[in-house]
Amino acid sequence: MNAPKNADKPWSGRFDEPTDAFVEAFTASVGFDRRLYKHDIQGSIAHARMLARQGILSDGECDAIIDGLGRIRERIETGGFAWSVSLEDVHMNIEHALTAEIGDAGKRLHTGRSRNDQVATDIRLWLREEIGTVETEITRLQTALLDLAEREAATIMPGFTHLQVAQPITFGHHMMAWYAMLDRDAGRFADCRRRADVMPLGAAALAGTTYPIDRAYTCELLGFGRPAENSLDAVSDRDFAVEFAAAASILMMHLSRFSEELILWSSAQFGFIELSDAFCTGSSIMPQKKNPDVPELVRGKAGRIFGHLMALLTLMKGQPLAYNKDNQEDKEPLFDTADNIRGSLKVFADMMGHVGCNRERMRESAKQGFSTATDLADYLVGKGIPFRDAHEVVGKAVAFGVREGRDLAELDIEELRRFSPAIGTDVFDVLTLEGSVAARNHIGGTAPEQVRAAIARARLDLQCRRGQD
Ligand code: ARG
């Protein structure tokens, strides 16, 4: 018999010809999945412990495996590990190095296991950790928003519908809208983590294994919620990856909308806020420019994350059970998603901690566009006039104001009374911006008092979330 042509490969036995050089590089994943080395080693140590406890490995073999893997981890972390493309992926690279390190015991590690359940386990271990970091970053951004909302709880700004001035609101209330979106995002990641927290190990290639393994014990060692119920599903399921990308996409959709507002608000035309210099860049040609690059880039990254969600959904849609090599394509979109949402959240939290507000400008803008017209209608309803009639009366008053170039609050009492004799001098209390926002004094309303109460409730919520970690 000829010497095997794929001598370094653990599956060389069946093959006569060496792998085509290009195919070897094309099918390898070590270039990106080496990032999973810590989780791969963690999974292998738990697997070896379980095998020894079940008498499938000797205690000596198990100790040698654990020691060897520890030394390999150290070598990887200090840059002294030689990754090899011909060993295809992180799993075979580490197993090969282990055998070189400790001899035959290394060859026994793969007993009752396959790369199929191994890789599914590694990604779940990695993702669980990653979700923890994402949750921490969301909380940090939410905290920055609470601080800003508290500082600006009574700052008046125009609220918009159709990007037209609608009614006065407070800047704090607006910030708390973003807080609420992020709160749902945190909930989605927590939910995703629950389903990622299931252990595939023990499924082996697809059908389970003939060895007397103890999956509950491996599960306990790795801190998973429970072992996967079905071996076929365990090795082929990537729902958790799709869910993560979906939660990430919704988060990025929120950050992108948020970015859009920051970009508009920091423009000369709005002039509501000033982003700190540390989060902007200049122009190489126009000396006056200060560009909101950070929110623009986050808005741009939303597209890339949506793309990853589409890639993962499409990756899965045609796959028959159980494992297929297609699944190797799950990692790059996942890694890129995690890196970019983490980065976007971090930069946003830092940026929102340094936002300057131009209160005068916001106030002036809220005064324009007859933003207290609804308040005047509500006032008339309070005087016994049906809302539809009140709406008509105020419409006429607004038309008069437009012709005159004056806001409702700038009309005198005689002028106002021409539209309805029910109007008294107390009307000016409701036509002021402060009166308008203070009157919306119920849960969810824009009154400064309610904004402060919402902030207090949110701080308690965040404390509970931190307590659960
Ligand atoms: N690199 C592979 C992946 O990421 C590991 C599993 C390979 N399994 C196999 N049967 N070829 O999916």
Side-chain angles (χ1 to χ4, degrees), residues 29-38 76 81 83 89-90 335:
S29 54
V30 65
F32 47 86
D33 67 13
R34 56 205 263 187
R35 175 171 176 163
L36 295 172
Y37 79 89
K38 237 186 344 181
I76 294 173
F81 189 88
W83 296 99
D89 56 27
V90 62
F335 293 161

Side-chain angles (χ1 to χ4, degrees), residues 80-93:
F81 189 88
W83 296 99
S84 152
V85 169
S86 87
L87 286 167
E88 205 177 314
D89 56 27
V90 62
H91 324 292
M92 297 208 293
N93 266 270

Side-chain angles (χ1 to χ4, degrees), residues 11 27-30 32-33 36 88-92 114-120 123 205 238 323-331:
W11 42 255
T27 54
S29 54
V30 65
F32 47 86
D33 67 13
L36 295 172
E88 205 177 314
D89 56 27
V90 62
H91 324 292
M92 297 208 293
S114 152
R115 274 187 297 155
N116 298 352
D117 58 345
Q118 187 178 356
V119 68
I123 312 171
R238 294 293 182 273
Y323 177 88
N324 301 280
K325 181 78 167 177
D326 313 39
N327 282 350
Q328 186 165 290
E329 286 288 304
D330 63 356
K331 285 166 210 65

Side-chain angles (χ1 to χ4, degrees), residues 99-139:
T99 302
E101 183 94 8
I102 65 169
D104 275 1
K107 294 188 193 161
R108 293 188 194 276
L109 170 62
H110 214 51
T111 313
R113 182 177 80 167
S114 152
R115 274 187 297 155
N116 298 352
D117 58 345
Q118 187 178 356
V119 68
T121 303
D122 291 1
I123 312 171
R124 284 173 184 263
L125 283 170
W126 169 82
L127 189 61
R128 235 177 29 174
E129 222 172 83
E130 209 56 49
I131 291 174
T133 313
V134 169
E135 282 174 331
T136 307
E137 290 295 340
I138 292 180
T139 305

Side-chain angles (χ1 to χ4, degrees), residues 38-306:
K38 237 186 344 181
H39 306 93
D40 195 66
I41 289 174
Q42 186 189 358
S44 289
I45 289 176
H47 181 64
R49 284 221 162 97
M50 181 279 290
L51 291 178
R53 193 171 189 246
Q54 297 299 101
I56 304 166
L57 284 184
S58 72
D59 286 345
E61 286 163 337
C62 176
D63 290 347
I65 288 172
I66 294 172
D67 280 359
L69 287 173
R71 286 197 293 278
I72 289 169
R73 181 171 42 208
E74 217 174 283
R75 233 185 296 141
I76 294 173
E77 282 167 359
T78 53
F81 189 88
W83 296 99
S84 152
V85 169
S86 87
L87 286 167
E88 205 177 314
D89 56 27
V90 62
H91 324 292
M92 297 208 293
N93 266 270
I94 291 178
E95 195 189 318
H96 190 265
L98 181 67
T99 302
E101 183 94 8
I102 65 169
D104 275 1
K107 294 188 193 161
R108 293 188 194 276
L109 170 62
H110 214 51
T111 313
R113 182 177 80 167
S114 152
R115 274 187 297 155
N116 298 352
D117 58 345
Q118 187 178 356
V119 68
T121 303
D122 291 1
I123 312 171
R124 284 173 184 263
L125 283 170
W126 169 82
L127 189 61
R128 235 177 29 174
E129 222 172 83
E130 209 56 49
I131 291 174
T133 313
V134 169
E135 282 174 331
T136 307
E137 290 295 340
I138 292 180
T139 305
R140 220 166 67 81
L141 174 51
Q142 284 185 294
T143 306
L145 290 178
L146 289 181
D147 294 344
L148 184 56
E150 193 146 54
R151 193 184 82 196
E152 308 293 341
T155 302
I156 307 265
M157 70 177 286
F160 299 92
T161 59
H162 313 270
L163 202 58
Q164 309 281 323
V165 171
Q167 291 172 356
I169 57 168
T170 53
F171 189 82
H173 193 52
H174 200 120
M175 287 304 107
M176 290 304 284
W178 291 115
Y179 177 93
M181 289 175 230
L182 288 163
D183 220 45
R184 293 194 294 276
D185 288 318
R188 269 181 283 271
F189 282 106
D191 194 42
C192 168
R193 190 194 4 212
R194 272 196 308 119
R195 273 182 295 275
D197 195 22
V198 171
M199 186 194 71
L201 267 186
L206 76 165
T209 176
T210 55
Y211 299 95
I213 58 171
D214 180 353
R215 298 187 71 207
Y217 182 59
T218 323
C219 198
E220 192 190 314
L221 290 177
L222 291 173
F224 274 115
R226 61 186 172 81
E229 277 292 328
N230 179 290
S231 63
L232 296 173
D233 181 47
V235 292
S236 65
D237 167 35
R238 294 293 182 273
D239 290 3
F240 61 92
V242 175
E243 282 187 42
F244 179 70
S249 294
I250 298 176
L251 165 72
M252 288 306 287
M253 176 269 286
H254 288 152
L255 292 186
S256 179
R257 295 182 69 185
F258 199 167
S259 295
E260 175 70 9
E261 293 202 328
L262 297 177
I263 294 162
L264 286 173
W265 293 350
S266 61
S267 69
Q269 288 69 22
F270 275 79
F272 289 0
I273 59 163
E274 173 117 26
L275 297 177
S276 142
D277 285 1
F279 298 90
C280 297
T281 60
S283 157
S284 53
I285 175 167
M286 297 167 283
Q288 83 283 14
K289 294 273 280 187
K290 177 172 159 185
N291 298 326
D293 283 37
V294 166
E296 284 172 334
L297 193 56
V298 171
R299 187 176 58 184
K301 281 182 187 293
R304 158 183 189 160
I305 304 301
F306 300 173

